[in-house]
Amino acid sequence: MRLALHACCGPCLLEPIDALSAEADEILVVYANPNIHPFEEYERRRDTLLAYASEHGIRVVEVAYDPTAWVSAVGEVVGDRAQRCRRCYRLRLAMAAAAAAEHGCDAIATTLTVSPYQDADSIAAEGRAAARDAGLAYVDRDFRDRYAEATRRSRDLGMYRQNYCGCVISDLEAREDREARRRQRREGRR
């Protein structure tokens, strides 16, 4: 099986590619992430992934960065976190599936499910739809049980680790969440 593995960043690639390597004859990593904002963040995540891939002989295809596609995909549901994320998954996995089909792959999977902060059920549903539309199989794997190891390995490797999913809204939400936790800690010390 020739498998395309959609990857959002280097740290999230580590465990899924190891787990899937036994199932595939060849793995092509697809970096399709128009959601990541700002562009400098997109480049930093991409470059971290590319550095690891280069060191390990992993082939990577980058889908052109097009943040307007992300805005179009999530625009009308931007305030609804669950719907915004689901549409983002749909867009990214459809882009990755199209690239996979173009490169002669048989199936697609994603690293998105390594994060316990993502909705694995929505990812699976959107992955199946994207694969079906591109004439591919979807390899549905939930990698959340590997998150701690991916975190440890990425730290040991000195990889850049981001503290938000990628879009400008998730950045704002993550900042608000961190500030709320800081307030709780301060109040708990009183």
Side-chain angles (χ1 to χ4, degrees):
M1 169 177 65
R2 293 189 73 215
L3 176 68
L5 178 58
H6 167 261
C8 54
C9 63
C12 288
L13 176 65
L14 299 174
E15 289 296 307
I17 199 162
D18 286 356
L20 293 167
S21 64
E23 297 179 42
D25 300 311
E26 180 183 341
I27 297 178
L28 171 69
V29 172
V30 180
Y31 188 72
N33 299 294
N35 60 307
I36 299 175
H37 177 84
F39 183 65
E40 293 77 16
E41 178 72 15
Y42 171 90
E43 290 179 312
R44 193 167 185 194
R45 293 181 192 202
R46 180 203 58 206
D47 294 350
T48 299
L49 182 140
L50 290 174
Y52 180 81
S54 176
E55 289 173 17
H56 293 86
I58 299 167
R59 195 165 145 232
V60 178
V61 170
E62 179 181 4
V63 174
Y65 181 66
D66 183 6
T68 59
W70 180 81
V71 170
S72 295
V74 304
E76 65 190 43
V77 297
V78 75
D80 181 336
R81 186 181 208 164
Q83 284 302 310
R84 180 184 73 241
C85 292
R86 187 164 185 140
R87 287 190 184 190
C88 183
Y89 303 147
R90 180 181 307 156
L91 172 66
R92 293 156 71 194
L93 292 171
M95 292 172 123
E102 181 180 314
H103 286 86
C105 293
D106 306 302
I108 185 169
T110 184
T111 66
L112 290 171
T113 60
V114 80
S115 171
Y117 304 104
Q118 304 297 327
D119 180 349
D121 292 334
S122 291
I123 292 166
E126 296 305 333
R128 285 190 298 271
R132 181 187 61 244
D133 292 348
L136 305 171
Y138 182 66
V139 177
D140 186 2
R141 297 291 184 279
D142 185 340
F143 297 112
R144 288 178 289 188
D145 63 333
R146 293 174 169 259
Y147 179 74
E149 183 62 12
T151 299
R152 185 199 62 75
R153 284 179 66 195
S154 63
R155 284 189 178 131
D156 288 351
L157 292 167
M159 286 182 152
Y160 167 66
R161 294 185 46 78
Q162 61 279 356
N163 59 9
Y164 66 102
C165 181
C167 76
V168 64
I169 299 162
S170 71
D171 185 19
L172 295 171
E173 290 169 344
R175 289 173 198 240
E176 290 170 1
D177 290 347
R178 286 190 299 274
E179 182 54 37
R181 285 192 300 275
R182 281 188 212 107
R183 274 194 307 274
Q184 286 178 330
R185 284 193 298 270
R186 284 192 302 266
E187 290 171 5
R189 285 185 240 150
R190 292 182 194 178

